[in-house]
Amino acid sequence: MHTVAILAYDGMTGFESGLAAEIFGMTELSPLFSAGIARPWYSVRLCAETPEVRLLGGATVHTSYGLEALADADTVVIPSVRDIDEPVSPALIEAIRAADRRAARLVSICSGAFALAAAGVLDGRAATTHWIYADALQARYPDITIDRAPLYVDNGRVLTSAGCAAGLDLCLHIVRSDHGVSVANDVARRLVIAPHRAGGQAQYIEMPVPEATDDGRIAAGMAWALEHLDAPITLDELAAQCAMSRRSFLRQFAKATGTTPIRWLIEQRVQASLPLLEASSLSIEQVGARVGFESPVTFRYHFVRQMQTTPSDYRSCFAGRPAQ
């Protein structure tokens, strides 16, 4: 049984620890469990320095797991620290170091990176945190390479995420690494979240929230495009499916999604290629053609740009066999 220890502490919110507990403690994957995945697939433990911790809002949480259980876990999740200027508890630092010595997987969400940094496990590694805290983390721990762009950074055994909600992306990434794309996608569907969010933190720093639209024609056009990803799709065809002029379609699509139709279409093509790379025997060229890319070069370019790895390396990692 793979144990996941989630840190709890006085003054925390329930969001970050809750999202990790929800994903790693999920028990409603019946079709996938019947296909051979152990049930329960992770054993989740809420760990704290004291048996009782107080949450924001007046709630109190009791747990029977202390920092010893955290140090012994296979995966350790550190949510945001209460205050980045407050010294990290020596007991927590020692527990993190003990887990590190055992080669446990260490995960931080948002400002939880400060706890990992205080324990020294981020030295010499790339890491991320919420963009608000990036400068402070870099100034305090100069041996860390701070990457402000991504939603999360995976160093193999030490992983860090950006803001609180990016913890969802990171936890799904861990499930994807452990159990594959199909399982991660099923988890995402049950949580009603995107299985993979393209882009990084910059989209949330620099761009306003897209203006909402109640025009169902855009949604219908997007649904049509998803059913025809294997064929060339032009802007004029998309506009026609939405019964709009090209100019009106571009304006309404931006309001609905915050992006352009072509950029959205490329993202959907890359996402559609993932299960094919993992589970099919199609060549890389055939996969690219199957999801509508004009050439293997175009497929590879957009795949690397979105996924930060090549289609071949992705297949090797998630399919567990050499790329064709």
Side-chain angles (χ1 to χ4, degrees):
M1 182 73 66
H2 186 106
T3 56
V4 177
I6 305 169
L7 178 68
Y9 55 87
D10 268 346
M12 69 181 294
T13 68
F15 178 66
E16 293 172 35
S17 59
L19 70 86
E22 174 69 19
I23 289 177
F24 296 121
M26 187 169 287
T27 59
E28 297 179 354
L29 297 170
S30 299
L32 296 171
F33 284 130
S34 62
I37 295 174
R39 182 175 187 167
W41 56 344
Y42 298 99
S43 175
V44 177
R45 301 172 180 176
L46 194 65
C47 303
E49 290 192 50
T50 58
E52 180 178 295
V53 295
R54 293 164 294 180
L55 274 61
L56 287 178
T60 300
V61 171
H62 297 267
T63 179
S64 57
Y65 295 106
L67 294 184
E68 299 83 0
L70 185 141
D72 289 338
D74 299 305
T75 294
V76 173
V77 180
I78 309 295
S80 294
V81 297
R82 181 169 51 191
D83 183 347
I84 66 168
D85 294 319
E86 183 179 296
V88 179
S89 159
L92 176 58
I93 289 176
E94 178 50 38
I96 293 172
R97 289 174 176 171
D100 184 49
R101 288 192 293 268
R102 294 178 44 258
R105 180 164 53 196
L106 306 176
V107 179
S108 70
I109 299 175
C110 195
S111 62
F114 282 83
L116 295 186
V121 300
L122 294 181
D123 289 351
R125 289 185 164 106
T128 194
T129 187
H130 195 293
W131 58 271
I132 289 177
Y133 303 128
D135 289 340
L137 186 63
Q138 184 69 89
R140 197 172 304 171
Y141 302 100
D143 291 336
I144 305 172
T145 301
I146 305 300
D147 192 343
R148 294 165 172 77
L151 295 174
Y152 56 83
V153 170
D154 181 352
N155 282 295
R157 194 172 57 79
V158 181
L159 305 92
T160 53
S161 84
C164 299
L168 284 166
D169 300 275
L170 179 51
C171 290
L172 272 180
H173 168 72
I174 291 171
V175 170
R176 192 180 303 117
S177 299
D178 289 350
H179 297 286
V181 170
S182 295
V183 177
N185 286 350
D186 192 64
V187 172
R189 281 191 294 270
R190 292 176 186 276
L191 294 175
V192 197
I193 59 176
H196 172 80
R197 285 195 291 167
Q201 295 194 68
Q203 60 185 310
Y204 304 102
I205 302 170
E206 299 168 359
M207 291 178 60
V209 175
E211 181 180 338
T213 176
D214 57 2
D215 193 334
R217 292 179 294 175
I218 296 296
M222 294 169 77
W224 174 85
L226 292 176
E227 294 175 357
H228 297 82
L229 287 178
D230 58 333
I233 299 175
T234 66
L235 268 177
D236 290 333
E237 286 176 320
L238 277 172
Q241 287 295 322
C242 298
M244 295 180 181
S245 68
R246 181 187 178 110
R247 182 178 178 182
S248 178
F249 171 68
L250 287 170
R251 184 175 63 254
Q252 293 299 324
F253 194 95
K255 286 182 179 181
T257 67
T259 188
T260 67
I262 297 303
R263 185 176 299 171
W264 174 83
L265 192 57
I266 289 171
E267 291 174 357
Q268 301 312 307
R269 293 191 193 280
V270 170
Q271 287 301 306
S273 74
L274 301 185
L276 295 177
L277 289 171
E278 179 184 334
S280 80
S281 59
L282 297 173
S283 68
I284 301 298
E285 292 77 11
Q286 289 171 324
V287 169
R290 183 71 62 89
V291 297
F293 285 103
E294 295 179 355
S295 71
V297 173
T298 304
F299 175 42
R300 186 182 189 281
Y301 171 79
H302 289 297
F303 193 97
V304 170
R305 193 172 184 184
Q306 184 167 322
M307 301 300 296
Q308 302 300 308
T309 188
T310 66
S312 298
D313 287 344
Y314 181 91
R315 166 170 274 175
S316 297
C317 178
F318 291 108
R321 61 174 183 270
Q324 296 186 28

